Amino acid sequence: MSLGELTRSATDASGLIELLTRHQPTGSGSDPAVRDAHRRALEALYRARESAQAPFSIGLTGEMSVGKSLLLGVLLGLPELLPVGEEAVTANVTLIHAKAGDPQLHESYETAVRVEYFSPAQTVGYVRHLRKELADQARAAGLDDAVVRQLEQLPLRDPDCGELIRFRDTYLSGALAQPLAGVLEELRSLDAALTRMREYGPSLLGLTAQLGADHARAALVLPGADERRGRDPRTLWTSGGSPRPSTSPRPTASSEPSAELLRATLPLIRRVVREVHVAPSVWDLSDFPGAELRFLDFPGLNSDFSSVRDQYVCGAELHSVHSLLILLHAGDGAKDTPQRIVRMWHSARRTDAMEDSVIALISRFHDLRVAETTLNGYLHDDRPLTRERLLSGMKVLRDLLASAERLVTSPRQQTMAPGDRVLFTSAMRALSTGYRTERLSKEFVDKCDLEAQLPKADRLAGIWCDIGRRLTTDPLGGGLDRMLTDFADDGGVRRLRQSLATHVTRHGAALQLAQFTGHRVAAAEALRELHTALDASGDRGRVDHGAETAVRQRLVALLSVWSDVRNRAGSELLDARRLHPGRTGDPPGATLFGELERDTAQRVYTWRSWARLLDTVHDEHVDLRRLHSDPSVPARTEDFFTEFRDACHEAEAAGSARLLSAVEAWLLTHQQHVVAAARELGTVVTAEAFDRLRSGPDGDRLVALLSRATSLQWVRDEAEKALRDKEPTQAQTDDGVLRDRFPLRPGHLLPWHPDSPFDPVEDAAARHQIAIARQRREMATMVLRQALTGLVRRQRLVVSHLHSEIGAFTTEVRQAALAGALITAVAGVTDRGGSLTGLAEQLRLRAADSVYTWEQSPWSPQDGGPSLWPDATTGRNEHGSVFHIGPDAGGAR
């Protein structure tokens, strides 16, 4: 499977979801096994579709105040995109859809913000996560094992903290509560949020709502994070554990929750989603798959206020990340953050090797705790500066580098991973070199203390740059020199963007496909289980497998003809020396090239200038007396340019009509194959089957699609559309271009002019009729060249368009599950929406034509037969047909 096939995978999942949604096992009499299998199949298909549609995603994680939010904003050209501060301010995951902006865009901009609450199941998961953390910490604090086991066995099936609150009040009071203060406070906060949520109704869980810029901060920032450092902000949420009454209206998907509600229910928010268009001048995202990247800014770890919840929301989103930027705080030195992230990685049930997905950043490098006197000492020392000597005097940098390199190095490797996956970054240095501070808000400037931080970053960048340059002479530098100079250049931002592009190329596709493969296999297995449950319930309409084989064989043959037409278009329509310009019989007439060659020669040879000039010829020489007496005879090169230009324009204008005629003649060579395949299919699709197909779900569209599959007229129409609508609006033969291709030198006299600068020996030959013939031949050759240039351009345009449209059409046939619909129609099975009758066979047929099949198709390419579903880009067009299947099948309209 390739990345290009993910589009098909998403569409296949949508078709199967639509089928199962239309047939629901409802009612008290339905089989419980069918209901459970139906639910699991739908959930698996939704996960598979989400995985197939997801753009490449990058997660940013690290300890609190490491600078993730600011660095991400700088990367996207919007430093103030996310809340920043010296404390733990980010309380939720922020998902950013970063899309390539218009080429004319000079500044990045945000288009939408929305909030997504936990679903009921995710909320229950959070409550259970709190229970586990509480049990682990209580055991470590000395609580009796029997009591801890009682805690671990508490029944938690609903989004409610009542059982945990009662356990807390019974067993975790007094001195025992002190070492558990953090997790107990988070339990109280969650309970308060759930209480407030009930005032608005359970619909708050699972809600997605649009937010304004003013309210986005309330969904992201811990209440009180802007207050004095060290104050627990959650004490502001409640007063004595009792929620404040609220008069806010109940939110809906179309309304915006109030800031007060967002703050009060913040523990229930899953993530905030932002959409950003990134200016190409900031970062050109057009080379990434889908021209988009998805960033997940995780809350910082080690927060005193929300560490348990932070681990839960990070782990809940970590499964969807393809690459991970792990930020280590240069100002705080090495910590156990990498080990905690590794544990989160495994708790998210990631089966891929984490080191393959990681880029390690030593962030806020300008804050590295190394005295400037120490740095200057290395600059003023005349001895060679090596990596070992530099790091031996900087333990903090040595430890940070060791931690970073371990993150990107597999335990199986004997040497460290490539240096482009360990970088030094500084958002402050990037702001100093790439942004005008006067464009930043005063609040942002004050919160980040830019007046002090920017000069500090610039001063240290100069020192580190000089050290990095000294290290370049050391063959054992190991990339440290480049890391330092990259930091000095722009805070390492440009190198980080390059590393992300390289990482997507090297590892991203494999990681993305590996994640989808797991979802695809799970969906196929869930569909198989549903089919088995439906079969066991006896509630199925059986299909005549002889009819199924007949339909599949004939549909394969028909689609093979289309595949052949598409493939041949790429070679036969590009060969003007074999392509015939009209509906010719046997033997064929002139080729497109030959006709164009004769046409251009005829156009040039009939110019009036030649007639006037030849009228002056006497005894095969130009008569100078007549040349003087007739001013209309061409004497300068410019006298020929107007006719040359007009001939080129006329040849270009005639090219589209000739090429369209040639395409029609070419299509006729394939018509008999399409007609033959359509008639074969018509032998099994009877009038009754055709009526059943039309009367079924989406019947009109399927019938129209089948009619197109037996028609060549729409292909001819697409060729005409390409020539009419897709030609460049700017003329390809404007005067400037044609003057460059004019075969004569502008501004010169022609050789037969009496004032032409020829010596006496050449005089007679220069004015001879042979010179006129030579000039005429050169003119014809250049006009032909111009005409052929236009023809080649049109041929490529038509071939590209037909290749895309035919491929898109065959993909649409597959996506519409036409094979399954034809088989059920031929077998006499009626699809009654809401009923499970016939669902087992419909499910099997629909899955067999998708990537979620659980059984090998007898018509798959692996068996040596033609592929029924050629890979192509998606698309759709509506056209009529010349041949069709139905009650009056078998002929041309």
Side-chain angles (χ1 to χ4, degrees), residues 457-781:
D458 292 344
R459 184 177 67 254
L460 288 170
I463 298 174
W464 282 115
C465 183
D466 292 340
I467 292 176
R469 288 171 179 167
R470 290 198 63 191
L471 277 169
T472 58
T473 61
D474 180 13
L476 300 178
L480 183 57
D481 57 324
R482 178 190 52 74
M483 294 157 66
L484 292 173
T485 54
D486 287 340
F487 153 72
D489 286 343
D490 65 347
V493 170
R494 183 172 60 252
R495 176 65 66 175
L496 175 55
R497 290 171 178 152
Q498 295 172 353
S499 296
L500 286 173
T502 301
H503 195 252
V504 168
T505 302
R506 290 180 179 173
H507 304 285
L511 290 171
Q512 193 168 7
L513 288 173
Q515 288 187 359
F516 170 73
T517 298
H519 292 296
R520 184 192 65 79
V521 171
E525 178 61 19
L527 291 173
R528 185 192 65 79
E529 292 175 355
L530 174 58
H531 182 269
T532 301
L534 288 166
D535 197 21
S537 70
D539 200 10
R540 61 177 290 181
R542 296 191 175 275
V543 166
D544 179 359
H545 292 287
E548 177 181 353
T549 300
V551 170
R552 287 191 181 278
Q553 283 179 328
R554 286 159 176 78
L555 198 55
V556 164
L558 180 59
L559 268 293
S560 296
V561 173
W562 281 105
S563 180
D564 188 53
V565 171
R566 179 178 183 239
N567 294 335
R568 289 179 178 272
S571 58
E572 296 175 355
L573 288 183
L574 291 177
D575 191 349
R577 294 184 180 274
R578 294 177 55 192
L579 199 60
H580 299 283
R583 301 192 176 194
T584 57
D586 188 20
T591 65
L592 187 58
F593 175 84
E595 184 170 295
L596 188 63
E597 188 176 35
R598 286 196 299 271
D599 176 70
T600 53
Q602 183 180 1
R603 289 181 188 278
V604 173
Y605 276 57
T606 56
W607 288 356
R608 295 181 64 186
S609 296
W610 302 124
R612 295 192 187 101
L613 181 58
L614 290 173
D615 284 344
T616 69
V617 173
H618 180 68
D619 291 337
E620 297 186 358
H621 287 76
V622 176
D623 188 333
L624 298 183
R625 291 172 299 179
R626 297 183 65 181
L627 192 64
H628 277 295
S629 63
D630 188 354
S632 65
V633 176
R636 293 181 175 275
T637 55
E638 283 80 0
D639 296 339
F640 275 121
F641 178 74
T642 299
E643 289 174 304
F644 172 78
R645 179 197 61 200
D646 292 344
C648 288
H649 283 305
E650 291 167 0
E652 282 264 9
S656 293
R658 280 195 172 86
L659 180 57
L660 183 58
S661 178
V663 170
E664 291 176 345
W666 176 77
L667 286 173
L668 285 175
T669 64
H670 295 279
Q671 176 172 297
Q672 59 181 338
H673 302 294
V674 174
V675 172
R679 286 175 174 167
E680 279 296 311
L681 184 58
T683 61
V684 294
V685 182
T686 63
E688 292 78 9
F690 189 80
D691 290 339
R692 280 193 291 269
L693 177 67
R694 186 190 298 276
S695 62
D698 209 16
D700 289 340
R701 186 172 73 89
L702 292 177
V703 167
L705 198 61
L706 186 59
S707 297
R708 286 186 70 202
T710 59
S711 165
L712 285 170
Q713 178 63 34
W714 70 270
V715 182
R716 185 268 179 202
D717 293 342
E718 285 298 326
E720 182 179 17
K721 178 181 177 181
L723 292 170
R724 182 184 66 245
D725 300 338
K726 294 182 175 294
E727 272 282 76
T729 56
Q730 182 179 2
Q732 297 292 321
T733 54
D734 57 23
D735 284 6
V737 173
L738 291 178
R739 286 190 183 279
D740 293 338
R741 297 176 181 174
F742 189 49
L744 304 180
R745 296 180 63 186
H748 282 242
L749 295 170
L750 291 168
W752 46 79
H753 194 278
D755 296 332
S756 181
F758 288 95
D759 57 40
V761 176
E762 296 179 339
D763 185 70
R767 294 187 176 91
H768 197 277
Q769 188 175 0
I770 295 175
I772 299 174
R774 185 179 67 250
Q775 297 290 348
R776 188 165 55 179
R777 186 171 60 249
E778 290 178 359
M779 288 288 184
T781 300

